[in-house]
């Protein structure tokens, strides 16, 4: 369940991260501005993907938002710290243009590293009834999962 939760998190993070990196790079933002934009969009898309599923279960918007915040905040934060940390330490990655293999290779690598390092965090949280364990109470067919 931890790998599945992390993959779900990675999907939202990757959408936001890629969009933020593309927008920031295209606008010529400084590296710090690009990272802030990427992180903000990663949280927005991560929460939105969780809320989409939880809202389908019939939960009201406010309650769904609380579930998404409880389920995803730590996972997204860890993923973003790792992902952006890798992007910053890969020489030239943040300054490479959108047409650069270095940019896209470093971004793909950073997301892969973030996934690998976030799985144990999600496993630990789910084992304690936290994180994505909160979401599974609202998804049909997942009630039998251990919390």
């Amino acid at each position: 369940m931890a790998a599945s939760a992390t993959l779900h998190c990675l999907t939202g993070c990757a959408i936001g991260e890629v969009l933020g990196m593309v927008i920031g790079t295209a606008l010529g933002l400084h590296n710090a501005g690009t990272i802030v934009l990427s992180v903000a969009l990663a949280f927005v898309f991560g929460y939105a993907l969780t809320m989409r599923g939880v809202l389908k279960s019939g939960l009201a918007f406010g309650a769904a938002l609380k579930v998404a915040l409880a389920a995803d905040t730590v996972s997204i934060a860890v993923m973003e710290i790792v992902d952006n940390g890798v992007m910053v330490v890969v020489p030239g990655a943040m300054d490479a243009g959108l047409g650069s293999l270095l940019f896209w290779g470093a971004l793909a690598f950073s997301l892969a590293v973030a996934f690998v390092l976030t799985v144990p965090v999600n496993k630990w949280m789910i084992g304690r009834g936290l994180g994505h364990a909160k979401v599974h109470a609202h998804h049909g067919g997942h009630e039998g999962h251990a919390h």
Side-chain angles (χ1 to χ4, degrees), residues 63-81:
L65 179 59
K66 287 180 184 177
V67 169
L69 292 172
D72 291 336
T73 300
V74 172
S75 182
I76 295 171
V78 170
M79 192 162 285
E80 287 304 299
I81 289 167

Side-chain angles (χ1 to χ4, degrees), residues 3-58:
S4 175
T6 306
L7 186 58
H8 177 270
C9 179
L10 177 68
T11 302
C13 286
I15 293 167
E17 188 73 28
V18 169
L19 189 57
M21 290 287 177
V22 168
I23 292 170
T25 302
L27 294 177
L29 296 180
H30 187 271
N31 289 348
T34 299
I35 290 171
V36 168
L37 178 60
S38 294
V39 170
L41 290 174
F43 274 94
V44 167
F45 280 95
Y47 291 145
L49 287 177
T50 295
M51 286 185 63
R52 189 181 113 236
V54 175
L55 286 168
K56 283 183 181 178
S57 76

Side-chain angles (χ1 to χ4, degrees), residues 5 53 66 77 96 109 125 129 131 140-141 144:
K66 287 180 184 177
F109 176 69
M125 290 179 58

Side-chain angles (χ1 to χ4, degrees), residues 83-144:
D83 170 39
N84 286 289
V86 170
M87 282 299 289
V88 168
V89 300
V90 172
M94 290 296 296
D95 297 320
L98 295 177
S100 166
L101 182 59
L102 173 61
F103 175 82
W104 293 106
L107 187 55
F109 176 69
S110 71
L111 289 168
V113 171
F115 175 82
V116 169
L117 295 179
T118 305
V119 168
V121 173
N122 282 328
K123 182 175 175 54
W124 181 86
M125 290 179 58
I126 290 167
R128 283 149 187 78
L130 304 170
H132 267 260
K134 303 281 185 191
V135 173
H136 286 279
H138 301 285
H139 282 229
H142 293 286
E143 291 84 359

